[in-house]
Amino acid sequence: MEPGQTTSPAGFGAEQFPLLPLLPLPRQTNTALRHSQAPAEPAVAPLAGEASEETGTVLCDGAVRMRSLKRSPERGGRIGDGCSIGYRTQEGDPLEEAELGSERLPWALEVVAKRMQVGDVAEVVATGEHALADEETVADVEGLERRWRFEVATVAAGTCLDKFRLSVDERIAAADRLRERGNQMLKQGRLLRAGDYYERGSSFMDVIEAEDMGMPGGKKDAKAVANNRRIRECQKPILLNWALVLMRRKRWSEAERKCAEVILDIDSSCVKALFRRGQCQIQLGSLEDAKKDLQKARDLDASIADDVEKELVKLKRQQKALDQQDRGWAQKALKKGLADERSKPKQPTAQDEDDIDCKVKDSSKTRLMPETSAGTAGPVSHKEVLAAQEKAAAEAGVDDITYARQREAIYNQLLMGGRPE
């Protein structure tokens, strides 16, 4: 091919498809060029329980606030539990080292570090328990607030704990460590931090092995069955302690669910789970279910009979309060005419007053008509009979069923022209 000559599709000459000259692209201004070449800063999407604001990100139900000051241009993997990081809390300070989840690092910095990369800098403000490291103690935790200029400078490679890559023994060991740390925080009254450790410890236990080998007869893998049994036994005290923390925080629904996990998935005869679920159900108003759980716990362990009896007293007190509310509602409903037409009083006629003589026995606790001095009852109207019955029922403290039956008897007797017995 001669210099400058071009090729063309087979069967066609170059003269049929002439090449067009290349046109120069419009020149970009310096400002446009800078914008087009600048790498876009990746946005950090808020996780569950978080909210983004113009000034930064709000974490942990408002206990931690984070505002990015500098983003590293190179983005890597997230930092997780077990990672050993080098960090600064003030500009120009020497590097410090700590493991995520260790006693040295304040809880807020641990939360924020999991959202950062090496080279990132953020302003962090924390209040309450989130402002403390585990090894720190202060008198007034609720009023505590701290601020840091937090920089992640280094991360040791291969130190992050990944539950999907850990063996069963390693996951159980990690969960036990977190449970023990949670127990320490619980003893110090730091309920939020204790619950955090129990939650993280439980997360290591939610990966189980397949037991069914897919063979005729339903044969199971003995090793997987044994490993899963160990996992459940490790998770049992974690869930129980987590439920206790939630109960102390008055998070009754969540605590009830943790107890139910133990009963349904691990041990249906666990006395602690039954007793604590019964306590939660009392607070939630599920009194029949609470009574069953408490009585079953007492049957399994007679040593807690006194504790069960105290809870049953609370249950009866709450049941009585609910009955009073229901009774008031029933009376109000009857007054508003939710019953049939017979509940509406009518103006009595002379014939009605002559024919109807409503009276109850002298021995009855709820007398509908007072006797005259001569020992006989005078004529009364329909309205007076109903008013007398309502007053007597209130004084006697009868239950809703008895109240309704008394009123029904009055209606029937008045319609038949007789007197109630």
Side-chain angles (χ1 to χ4, degrees):
M1 183 175 4
E2 295 297 330
Q5 188 177 4
T6 61
T7 61
S8 61
F12 296 93
E15 65 281 357
Q16 293 177 285
F17 294 93
L19 295 180
L20 299 177
L22 294 176
L23 299 176
L25 294 175
R27 184 176 181 180
Q28 292 177 306
T29 63
N30 291 338
T31 303
L33 185 60
R34 285 198 300 269
H35 282 295
S36 64
Q37 292 177 347
E41 185 174 292
V44 180
L47 303 177
E50 303 174 1
S52 293
E53 295 182 347
E54 294 182 358
T55 56
T57 303
V58 180
L59 311 169
C60 305
D61 295 327
V64 180
R65 299 190 302 277
M66 168 190 176
R67 185 169 65 90
S68 178
L69 301 178
K70 177 185 175 183
R71 287 298 187 97
S72 173
E74 297 182 2
R75 313 306 292 169
R78 285 189 179 272
I79 301 171
D81 282 335
C83 286
S84 181
I85 64 171
Y87 67 95
R88 295 184 180 91
T89 55
Q90 295 295 335
E91 188 173 9
D93 284 356
L95 279 180
E96 300 181 60
E97 291 187 2
E99 178 183 322
L100 257 65
S102 68
E103 298 181 354
R104 291 188 55 202
L105 199 64
W107 186 9
L109 298 187
E110 178 182 307
V111 171
V112 170
K114 293 177 182 179
R115 299 177 55 84
M116 299 175 66
Q117 306 289 335
V118 174
D120 288 356
V121 182
E123 179 184 55
V124 183
V125 181
T127 59
E129 291 186 39
H130 289 81
L132 288 174
D134 292 355
E135 62 186 8
E136 297 179 293
T137 56
V138 295
D140 182 17
V141 176
E142 296 299 325
L144 182 64
E145 179 176 304
R146 285 181 175 172
R147 185 183 300 267
W148 302 271
R149 182 186 183 277
F150 184 51
E151 176 187 356
V152 177
T154 62
V155 177
T159 57
C160 185
L161 296 178
D162 184 350
K163 64 183 178 182
F164 297 103
R165 297 183 179 180
L166 298 177
S167 67
V168 173
D169 291 335
E170 290 171 329
R171 287 194 287 123
I172 290 176
D176 282 338
R177 286 195 301 269
L178 291 168
R179 176 177 57 82
E180 291 171 1
R181 296 280 295 281
N183 293 346
Q184 294 174 5
M185 296 294 100
L186 182 58
K187 291 177 182 177
Q188 296 179 23
R190 292 175 58 178
L191 300 180
L192 294 176
R193 186 58 160 160
D196 174 67
Y197 278 126
Y198 294 140
E199 182 176 1
R200 287 159 57 188
S202 179
S203 70
F204 279 99
M205 300 291 97
D206 58 13
V207 180
I208 60 175
E209 299 183 8
E211 299 180 0
D212 193 351
M213 299 178 66
M215 299 180 63
K219 186 177 181 180
K220 295 184 179 296
D221 186 339
K223 183 178 179 181
V225 171
N227 285 339
N228 291 341
R229 185 183 302 111
R230 292 174 58 209
I231 289 172
R232 294 187 181 98
E233 287 301 316
C234 176
Q235 191 176 28
K236 179 177 174 180
I238 296 176
L239 291 173
L240 289 172
N241 291 355
W242 191 1
L244 181 60
V245 167
L246 292 168
M247 290 170 67
R248 292 188 180 180
R249 295 179 59 199
K250 302 189 183 302
R251 307 284 286 269
W252 303 110
S253 295
E254 298 172 58
E256 192 272 340
R257 287 196 294 270
K258 299 307 167 190
C259 295
E261 286 185 47
V262 176
I263 295 169
L264 297 176
D265 300 335
I266 301 175
D267 182 4
S268 61
S269 299
C270 178
V271 175
K272 284 185 177 181
L274 289 166
F275 182 76
R276 290 176 184 173
R277 187 170 75 167
Q279 290 178 303
C280 295
Q281 289 166 338
I282 290 176
Q283 299 296 329
L284 295 170
S286 303
L287 302 184
E288 288 299 324
D289 292 335
K291 187 175 181 180
K292 292 177 184 178
D293 279 347
L294 292 170
Q295 289 177 340
K296 184 175 180 180
R298 181 181 58 190
D299 294 341
L300 292 170
D301 186 358
S303 66
I304 66 169
D306 291 342
D307 294 327
V308 169
E309 188 59 34
K310 291 178 182 177
E311 296 302 321
L312 290 176
V313 169
K314 295 179 184 177
L315 186 150
K316 293 174 182 177
R317 188 183 302 122
Q318 187 163 340
Q319 183 66 63
K320 186 176 180 181
L322 291 174
D323 289 343
Q324 290 292 336
Q325 293 177 5
D326 292 342
R327 180 171 177 272
W329 179 88
Q331 291 180 344
K332 185 177 180 180
L334 287 171
K335 288 180 180 178
K336 288 188 175 182
L338 293 183
D340 56 25
E341 292 295 327
R342 294 173 294 175
S343 65
K344 298 180 180 180
K346 63 181 181 179
Q347 295 297 329
T349 63
Q351 182 65 30
D352 294 333
E353 294 182 357
D354 290 340
D355 294 341
I356 300 175
D357 185 13
C358 246
K359 182 182 175 184
V360 296
K361 294 181 179 180
D362 292 342
S363 59
S364 174
K365 293 183 178 180
T366 307
R367 298 182 58 193
L368 303 183
M369 290 179 53
E371 291 187 350
T372 63
S373 58
T376 61
V380 294
S381 67
H382 185 179
K383 184 176 181 180
E384 290 171 336
V385 171
L386 294 174
Q389 182 266 341
E390 183 174 355
K391 179 180 179 183
E395 292 175 352
V398 301
D399 56 48
D400 297 339
I401 296 176
T402 303
Y403 178 88
R405 286 177 177 172
Q406 289 174 356
R407 182 144 293 204
E408 182 183 9
I410 293 173
Y411 294 146
N412 293 334
Q413 292 296 330
L414 290 173
L415 288 174
M416 292 186 296
R419 66 172 65 185
E421 293 295 335

